[in-house]
Amino acid sequence: RSVARQEAIRRMFLLLEQKYGGRQGLIDNSHVETAASLSTNLLKDLFEHRLTALRVPNFVPKATCDRLSNHLLSHPSIVNWNVTSGQRGLQKSDVLSIGTPYNVAVGQGKEAVERYFQEAIPLMREARTVSGGASPMDQLRLELDELWPSGCSVAKNRQGRSMLGGIGRITKPSAQLSDGFCHVDELGPFSSKRGLFGANIYLRVPEDGGHVQIWNVKINSRWDFYRNAHTLSKLLIQDPEAQQQLRQWLPDPTVVKPEVGDLIIICAQRPHAVSRFTSGHRVSYNAFLQHEQGKPLLLDS
C-alpha cells in the first residue's frame, strides 16, 4: 500500500509540473561578489538573497592553511560521509571529514550523537593549537560577531552543549559524478528573514577541477516548490540519471575556482556542486551558518 501511495504522489507531482512547472520564474539576478573583507552590507546582501555567494580571498594566511591541511590529511579520526543514492540507499562518497557531522550522527543513533558532542570542543581546540592561535573558523566567527548587529556564536543544543563550529573536510579525487553532486542542504521557499548558508575556508585545492558551481535559482513560494517538486526533489539524491535530468533542467551555473586561503559563503538553499578532479586533494573547513532576523548568527557542523 505504501509503495502504491508513493507512486500516486510521484505521478501527481509529475502531472502538476508538466502543466504548471518551469524554471523561468525561479531564476533571479543574484551574483557572486568578491571583496577584500567582510562587511555588514555585504552580509545583508547575502542573507537577503541578492548574492548567491560571497568570496573573500586570502582570508587565512597560506602558512596556516598548509599546517592545517597537513594535519587534517593525517588525522586519526577521518570518517566517510555517506550519501543517498536513489534506490541503492546510503553509499560511500568521496568526501571525508574529521569527526562526524551532526546530521550524519543523528542518523546513526544516540551513541553517535553523544560522541559528536564529546568531540566538538576538543576538535575546535585542536584546530586552535595547530593554527597557533585563533583557528580559521574562530576568525570567521569573531568577524561575523563584530559586523552583524545580532552577533554570532557557535550553536548549542537544547541542553546547552556546544556543537562543532566548523568541521575539517577532505574531498578525494575521482568523484563518482563527473559534474559533481548538484544538491541543496535545505529545500523550500526562501525568506529574507531567515536562511541557511554554508561557510567554506579552503586550505588546499587541486590544480585542476574542484570548482564551486552554484545556480541562481530561488524558490519564492510554496507554489513555486509544488509546481516543480518532481524535478527539485532530485536535488536530494546522488543518482546519476536524476542528476543528468536535473542539470538539463537548470540554467548554466556560476563557476568559482577557490584558491588557498579563500573564504566562500554560499546560500546552501541554492543548488550547488563541486566539479570533479582527478589528482590531489581538496581540504577545507566548513560550517553551516544559520540566519534568523533579530537573532545571533549560528555556526554548526
Side-chain angles (χ1 to χ4, degrees), residues 26-90:
L26 304 181
I27 301 171
D28 65 10
N29 294 320
S30 59
H31 64 282
V32 176
E33 183 77 21
T34 299
S37 61
L38 294 173
S39 73
T40 302
N41 287 337
L42 285 172
L43 291 171
K44 186 176 181 181
D45 285 343
L46 179 69
F47 296 151
E48 295 183 357
H49 305 296
R50 288 185 289 276
L51 300 180
T52 52
L54 174 57
R55 178 184 187 180
V56 180
N58 303 309
F59 186 76
V60 177
K62 186 177 184 303
T64 303
C65 293
D66 289 343
R67 286 199 304 275
L68 283 167
S69 62
N70 289 333
H71 173 73
L72 294 178
L73 286 167
S74 61
H75 203 282
S77 299
I78 294 176
V79 297
N80 189 282
W81 279 15
N82 292 326
V83 295
T84 302
S85 181
Q87 297 182 353
R88 295 191 297 274
L90 287 177

Coordinates of all heavy atoms in Angstrom, one line a residue, residues 26-90:
L26 N 12.0 30.9 -11.5 CA 12.9 30.6 -10.3 C 14.3 31.2 -10.5 O 15.0 31.2 -9.5 CB 13.1 29.1 -10.2 CG 11.8 28.2 -10.0 CD1 12.2 26.8 -9.9 CD2 11.0 28.7 -8.8
I27 N 14.6 31.7 -11.7 CA 15.9 32.3 -11.9 C 15.9 33.8 -11.5 O 15.0 34.5 -12.0 CB 16.3 32.2 -13.4 CG1 16.3 30.7 -13.8 CG2 17.7 32.8 -13.7 CD1 16.5 30.4 -15.3
D28 N 16.9 34.2 -10.7 CA 16.9 35.6 -10.3 C 18.2 36.2 -10.7 O 19.0 35.6 -11.4 CB 16.7 35.7 -8.8 CG 17.9 35.1 -7.9 OD1 18.9 34.7 -8.5 OD2 17.7 35.0 -6.7
N29 N 18.5 37.5 -10.3 CA 19.6 38.2 -10.8 C 20.8 38.2 -9.8 O 21.6 39.1 -9.8 CB 19.2 39.7 -11.1 CG 18.3 39.8 -12.3 OD1 18.4 39.1 -13.3 ND2 17.3 40.6 -12.2
S30 N 20.7 37.3 -8.8 CA 21.8 37.3 -7.8 C 23.1 36.9 -8.5 O 23.2 36.3 -9.6 CB 21.5 36.2 -6.8 OG 21.3 34.9 -7.3
H31 N 24.2 37.2 -7.8 CA 25.6 37.0 -8.4 C 26.6 36.7 -7.3 O 26.2 36.8 -6.1 CB 26.0 38.2 -9.2 CG 26.2 39.5 -8.3 ND1 25.1 40.2 -7.9 CD2 27.3 40.0 -7.8 CE1 25.6 41.2 -7.1 NE2 26.9 41.1 -7.1
V32 N 27.7 36.3 -7.6 CA 28.8 36.1 -6.7 C 29.6 37.4 -6.5 O 30.0 38.0 -7.5 CB 29.8 35.0 -7.2 CG1 31.0 34.8 -6.2 CG2 29.0 33.6 -7.3
E33 N 29.8 37.8 -5.3 CA 30.6 39.0 -5.0 C 31.9 38.7 -4.4 O 32.0 37.9 -3.5 CB 29.8 39.9 -4.1 CG 30.4 41.2 -3.8 CD 30.3 42.3 -4.9 OE1 29.3 42.1 -5.7 OE2 31.0 43.2 -4.9
T34 N 33.0 39.3 -4.9 CA 34.3 39.1 -4.4 C 34.7 40.4 -3.7 O 34.6 41.5 -4.3 CB 35.4 38.8 -5.4 OG1 35.0 37.5 -6.0 CG2 36.8 38.6 -4.9
A35 N 35.2 40.3 -2.4 CA 35.5 41.5 -1.7 C 36.8 41.3 -0.9 O 37.1 40.2 -0.5 CB 34.4 41.9 -0.8
A36 N 37.5 42.4 -0.6 CA 38.7 42.3 0.2 C 38.5 41.8 1.6 O 39.4 41.3 2.3 CB 39.5 43.6 0.2
S37 N 37.3 42.1 2.1 CA 37.0 41.7 3.5 C 35.5 41.7 3.7 O 34.7 42.2 2.8 CB 37.5 42.8 4.5 OG 37.0 44.0 4.3
L38 N 35.0 41.1 4.7 CA 33.6 41.0 5.0 C 33.1 42.4 5.5 O 33.9 43.2 6.0 CB 33.3 40.0 6.2 CG 33.6 38.5 5.9 CD1 33.4 37.7 7.2 CD2 32.6 38.0 4.8
S39 N 31.8 42.7 5.2 CA 31.2 43.9 5.7 C 29.8 43.7 6.0 O 29.2 42.7 5.6 CB 31.3 45.0 4.7 OG 30.4 44.8 3.6
T40 N 29.2 44.5 6.8 CA 27.8 44.4 7.2 C 26.9 44.4 6.0 O 26.0 43.6 5.9 CB 27.4 45.5 8.2 OG1 28.3 45.4 9.4 CG2 25.9 45.3 8.7
N41 N 27.2 45.4 5.1 CA 26.3 45.5 3.9 C 26.4 44.3 3.0 O 25.4 43.8 2.4 CB 26.7 46.7 3.1 CG 26.2 48.0 3.8 OD1 25.3 48.0 4.6 ND2 26.9 49.1 3.5
L42 N 27.6 43.7 2.8 CA 27.7 42.5 2.0 C 27.0 41.3 2.7 O 26.3 40.5 2.0 CB 29.2 42.2 1.8 CG 30.0 43.1 0.8 CD1 31.4 42.7 0.9 CD2 29.4 42.9 -0.6
L43 N 27.1 41.2 4.0 CA 26.4 40.1 4.7 C 24.9 40.3 4.5 O 24.1 39.3 4.3 CB 26.7 40.1 6.1 CG 28.2 39.7 6.4 CD1 28.5 39.9 7.9 CD2 28.4 38.2 6.1
K44 N 24.4 41.5 4.6 CA 23.0 41.8 4.4 C 22.5 41.4 3.0 O 21.5 40.8 2.8 CB 22.7 43.3 4.6 CG 21.2 43.6 4.6 CD 20.9 45.1 5.0 CE 19.4 45.4 5.0 NZ 19.2 46.8 5.3
D45 N 23.3 41.7 2.0 CA 23.0 41.3 0.6 C 23.0 39.8 0.5 O 22.1 39.3 -0.3 CB 24.1 41.9 -0.4 CG 23.9 43.4 -0.6 OD1 22.8 43.9 -0.3 OD2 24.9 44.0 -1.1
L46 N 23.9 39.1 1.1 CA 23.9 37.7 1.1 C 22.6 37.1 1.8 O 21.9 36.2 1.2 CB 25.1 37.1 1.7 CG 25.3 35.6 1.8 CD1 25.5 35.0 0.4 CD2 26.5 35.2 2.7
F47 N 22.4 37.5 3.0 CA 21.3 37.0 3.8 C 19.9 37.3 3.2 O 18.9 36.6 3.4 CB 21.3 37.5 5.2 CG 22.6 37.0 5.9 CD1 23.1 37.8 7.0 CD2 23.2 35.8 5.6 CE1 24.2 37.3 7.6 CE2 24.3 35.4 6.3 CZ 24.9 36.1 7.3
E48 N 19.8 38.4 2.4 CA 18.6 38.8 1.8 C 18.5 38.3 0.3 O 17.6 38.7 -0.5 CB 18.3 40.3 1.8 CG 18.2 40.8 3.3 CD 17.9 42.2 3.4 OE1 17.9 43.0 2.4 OE2 17.7 42.7 4.5
H49 N 19.5 37.4 0.0 CA 19.5 36.6 -1.3 C 19.7 37.5 -2.5 O 19.3 37.1 -3.6 CB 18.2 35.8 -1.4 CG 17.9 34.9 -0.2 ND1 18.7 33.9 0.1 CD2 16.9 35.0 0.7 CE1 18.3 33.3 1.2 NE2 17.2 33.9 1.6
R50 N 20.4 38.6 -2.4 CA 20.8 39.4 -3.6 C 22.1 38.8 -4.1 O 22.5 39.1 -5.2 CB 20.9 40.9 -3.2 CG 19.6 41.5 -3.0 CD 19.7 43.0 -2.8 NE 20.3 43.3 -1.5 CZ 19.5 43.4 -0.4 NH1 18.2 43.2 -0.4 NH2 20.1 43.7 0.8
L51 N 22.8 38.1 -3.3 CA 24.1 37.4 -3.7 C 23.9 35.9 -3.6 O 23.2 35.4 -2.7 CB 25.2 37.8 -2.8 CG 25.6 39.2 -2.7 CD1 26.8 39.4 -1.7 CD2 26.0 39.8 -4.0
T52 N 24.4 35.2 -4.6 CA 24.4 33.7 -4.5 C 25.6 33.3 -3.6 O 25.5 32.2 -2.9 CB 24.6 33.1 -5.9 OG1 25.7 33.7 -6.5 CG2 23.4 33.3 -6.7
A53 N 26.7 34.1 -3.6 CA 27.8 33.7 -2.8 C 28.7 35.0 -2.5 O 28.6 35.9 -3.3 CB 28.7 32.6 -3.5
L54 N 29.4 34.9 -1.5 CA 30.3 36.0 -1.1 C 31.7 35.4 -0.9 O 31.9 34.4 -0.1 CB 29.9 36.6 0.2 CG 30.8 37.7 0.9 CD1 31.0 38.9 -0.1 CD2 30.1 38.2 2.1
R55 N 32.7 36.0 -1.6 CA 34.1 35.4 -1.6 C 35.1 36.5 -1.0 O 35.1 37.6 -1.5 CB 34.5 35.0 -3.0 CG 35.9 34.5 -3.1 CD 36.2 34.2 -4.5 NE 37.5 33.5 -4.7 CZ 38.0 33.1 -5.8 NH1 37.4 33.4 -7.0 NH2 39.2 32.5 -5.9
V56 N 35.9 36.0 -0.1 CA 37.0 36.9 0.4 C 38.3 36.1 0.2 O 38.6 35.2 0.9 CB 36.8 37.2 1.9 CG1 37.9 38.0 2.5 CG2 35.4 37.8 2.2
P57 N 39.1 36.6 -0.8 CA 40.4 35.9 -1.0 C 41.4 36.2 0.2 O 41.2 37.2 0.9 CB 40.9 36.6 -2.3 CG 39.7 37.2 -2.9 CD 38.8 37.6 -1.8
N58 N 42.3 35.3 0.4 CA 43.3 35.4 1.4 C 42.8 35.7 2.8 O 43.4 36.5 3.6 CB 44.3 36.6 1.0 CG 44.9 36.4 -0.4 OD1 45.5 35.3 -0.6 ND2 44.8 37.4 -1.2
F59 N 41.7 35.1 3.1 CA 41.1 35.2 4.4 C 42.0 34.6 5.5 O 42.0 35.1 6.6 CB 39.7 34.6 4.5 CG 38.9 34.8 5.7 CD1 38.3 36.0 6.0 CD2 38.8 33.8 6.7 CE1 37.6 36.2 7.2 CE2 38.1 34.0 7.8 CZ 37.5 35.2 8.1
V60 N 42.7 33.5 5.1 CA 43.6 32.9 6.0 C 45.0 32.8 5.4 O 45.1 32.5 4.2 CB 43.1 31.4 6.3 CG1 44.1 30.7 7.2 CG2 41.7 31.5 7.0
P61 N 46.1 33.1 6.1 CA 47.4 33.0 5.5 C 47.8 31.7 5.0 O 47.3 30.6 5.6 CB 48.3 33.4 6.7 CG 47.4 34.2 7.6 CD 46.1 33.6 7.5
K62 N 48.5 31.6 3.9 CA 48.9 30.3 3.3 C 49.6 29.4 4.3 O 49.4 28.2 4.3 CB 49.7 30.5 2.1 CG 50.0 29.3 1.3 CD 50.8 29.5 0.0 CE 51.0 28.2 -0.8 NZ 51.6 27.2 0.0
A63 N 50.5 30.0 5.1 CA 51.3 29.1 6.1 C 50.3 28.4 7.0 O 50.5 27.2 7.3 CB 52.3 30.0 6.8
T64 N 49.3 29.1 7.5 CA 48.3 28.4 8.4 C 47.5 27.4 7.6 O 47.3 26.3 8.2 CB 47.3 29.5 8.9 OG1 48.1 30.5 9.6 CG2 46.3 28.9 9.9
C65 N 47.2 27.7 6.4 CA 46.5 26.7 5.5 C 47.3 25.4 5.4 O 46.8 24.3 5.4 CB 46.1 27.3 4.2 SG 44.9 28.6 4.2
D66 N 48.6 25.6 5.1 CA 49.5 24.4 4.9 C 49.6 23.6 6.2 O 49.5 22.3 6.1 CB 50.9 24.9 4.5 CG 51.0 25.5 3.1 OD1 50.0 25.2 2.3 OD2 51.9 26.2 2.8
R67 N 49.7 24.2 7.3 CA 49.8 23.5 8.6 C 48.5 22.7 8.9 O 48.5 21.5 9.2 CB 50.1 24.4 9.8 CG 51.5 24.9 9.9 CD 51.8 25.5 11.3 NE 50.8 26.5 11.7 CZ 50.9 27.8 11.5 NH1 52.0 28.2 10.7 NH2 50.1 28.6 11.9
L68 N 47.4 23.4 8.7 CA 46.1 22.7 8.9 C 45.8 21.6 8.0 O 45.3 20.5 8.3 CB 45.0 23.8 8.9 CG 44.9 24.6 10.2 CD1 44.0 25.8 9.9 CD2 44.4 23.9 11.4
S69 N 46.1 21.8 6.7 CA 45.8 20.8 5.7 C 46.6 19.5 5.9 O 46.1 18.4 5.8 CB 45.9 21.3 4.3 OG 47.3 21.7 4.0
N70 N 47.9 19.7 6.2 CA 48.7 18.6 6.6 C 48.2 17.8 7.8 O 48.2 16.6 7.8 CB 50.2 19.0 6.8 CG 50.9 19.5 5.5 OD1 50.5 19.0 4.4 ND2 51.8 20.4 5.6
H71 N 47.8 18.6 8.8 CA 47.2 18.0 10.0 C 46.0 17.2 9.7 O 45.8 16.0 10.2 CB 47.0 19.1 11.0 CG 46.3 18.6 12.2 ND1 46.9 17.9 13.2 CD2 45.0 18.8 12.7 CE1 46.1 17.6 14.2 NE2 44.9 18.1 13.9
L72 N 45.1 17.7 8.9 CA 43.8 17.1 8.6 C 44.0 15.8 7.8 O 43.4 14.8 8.0 CB 42.8 18.0 7.9 CG 42.4 19.2 8.8 CD1 41.5 20.1 7.9 CD2 41.6 18.8 10.0
L73 N 44.9 15.9 6.8 CA 45.1 14.7 6.0 C 45.7 13.5 6.7 O 45.6 12.4 6.2 CB 46.1 15.1 4.8 CG 45.4 16.0 3.7 CD1 46.5 16.6 2.8 CD2 44.4 15.1 2.9
S74 N 46.4 13.8 7.8 CA 47.0 12.6 8.6 C 46.2 12.4 9.9 O 46.7 11.7 10.8 CB 48.4 13.0 8.9 OG 48.6 14.2 9.7
H75 N 45.0 12.9 10.0 CA 44.3 12.9 11.3 C 43.8 11.4 11.5 O 43.3 10.8 10.6 CB 43.1 13.8 11.2 CG 42.6 14.2 12.6 ND1 41.8 13.4 13.4 CD2 42.8 15.4 13.3 CE1 41.5 14.1 14.5 NE2 42.1 15.2 14.5
P76 N 43.8 11.0 12.8 CA 43.3 9.6 13.1 C 41.8 9.5 13.1 O 41.3 8.3 13.2 CB 43.9 9.4 14.5 CG 44.0 10.7 15.1 CD 44.4 11.7 14.0
S77 N 41.1 10.5 13.1 CA 39.6 10.4 13.2 C 38.9 10.7 11.9 O 37.8 11.3 11.9 CB 39.1 11.4 14.3 OG 39.7 11.1 15.6
I78 N 39.5 10.4 10.8 CA 38.8 10.6 9.5 C 37.7 9.6 9.3 O 37.9 8.4 9.5 CB 39.9 10.5 8.3 CG1 40.9 11.6 8.4 CG2 39.2 10.5 7.0 CD1 42.0 11.5 7.4
V79 N 36.5 10.1 8.9 CA 35.4 9.3 8.6 C 34.8 9.6 7.2 O 35.1 10.7 6.7 CB 34.3 9.4 9.7 CG1 34.7 8.9 11.0 CG2 33.7 10.8 9.7
N80 N 34.1 8.7 6.6 CA 33.5 8.9 5.3 C 32.1 9.4 5.4 O 31.3 8.9 6.3 CB 33.5 7.5 4.5 CG 33.1 7.7 3.1 OD1 31.9 7.9 2.8 ND2 34.1 7.7 2.2
W81 N 31.7 10.4 4.6 CA 30.4 10.9 4.5 C 29.6 10.0 3.6 O 29.9 9.8 2.4 CB 30.3 12.3 3.9 CG 30.6 13.4 4.9 CD1 31.2 13.2 6.1 CD2 30.4 14.8 4.7 NE1 31.3 14.4 6.7 CE2 30.8 15.4 5.9 CE3 29.8 15.5 3.7 CZ2 30.8 16.8 6.0 CZ3 29.7 16.9 3.9 CH2 30.2 17.5 5.0
N82 N 28.5 9.3 4.1 CA 27.6 8.6 3.3 C 26.6 9.5 2.6 O 26.3 10.5 3.1 CB 26.9 7.5 4.1 CG 27.8 6.4 4.6 OD1 28.8 6.1 3.9 ND2 27.5 5.9 5.8
V83 N 26.2 9.1 1.4 CA 25.2 9.9 0.6 C 24.1 9.0 0.2 O 24.2 7.8 0.1 CB 25.8 10.6 -0.6 CG1 26.9 11.6 -0.2 CG2 26.5 9.6 -1.5
T84 N 22.9 9.6 0.0 CA 21.8 8.9 -0.5 C 21.8 8.8 -2.0 O 22.0 9.7 -2.7 CB 20.5 9.6 -0.1 OG1 20.4 9.7 1.3 CG2 19.2 8.8 -0.6
S85 N 21.7 7.5 -2.5 CA 21.9 7.3 -4.0 C 20.7 6.5 -4.5 O 20.7 5.3 -4.7 CB 23.2 6.5 -4.2 OG 23.3 6.3 -5.6
G86 N 19.6 7.3 -4.7 CA 18.4 6.7 -5.3 C 17.9 5.5 -4.5 O 17.9 5.5 -3.3
Q87 N 17.6 4.4 -5.2 CA 17.0 3.2 -4.6 C 18.1 2.4 -4.0 O 17.9 1.4 -3.3 CB 16.3 2.4 -5.6 CG 15.0 3.1 -6.2 CD 14.3 2.2 -7.1 OE1 14.7 1.1 -7.5 NE2 13.1 2.7 -7.6
R88 N 19.4 2.8 -4.2 CA 20.5 2.0 -3.6 C 20.8 2.4 -2.1 O 21.6 1.8 -1.4 CB 21.8 2.2 -4.4 CG 21.7 1.6 -5.8 CD 23.0 1.5 -6.5 NE 23.6 2.9 -6.7 CZ 23.3 3.6 -7.7 NH1 22.5 3.2 -8.7 NH2 23.9 4.8 -7.8
G89 N 20.1 3.4 -1.6 CA 20.2 3.8 -0.2 C 21.5 4.6 0.0 O 22.1 5.2 -0.9
L90 N 22.1 4.4 1.2 CA 23.3 5.1 1.6 C 24.5 4.4 0.9 O 24.7 3.2 0.9 CB 23.5 5.0 3.1 CG 22.6 5.9 3.9 CD1 22.9 5.7 5.4 CD2 22.8 7.4 3.5

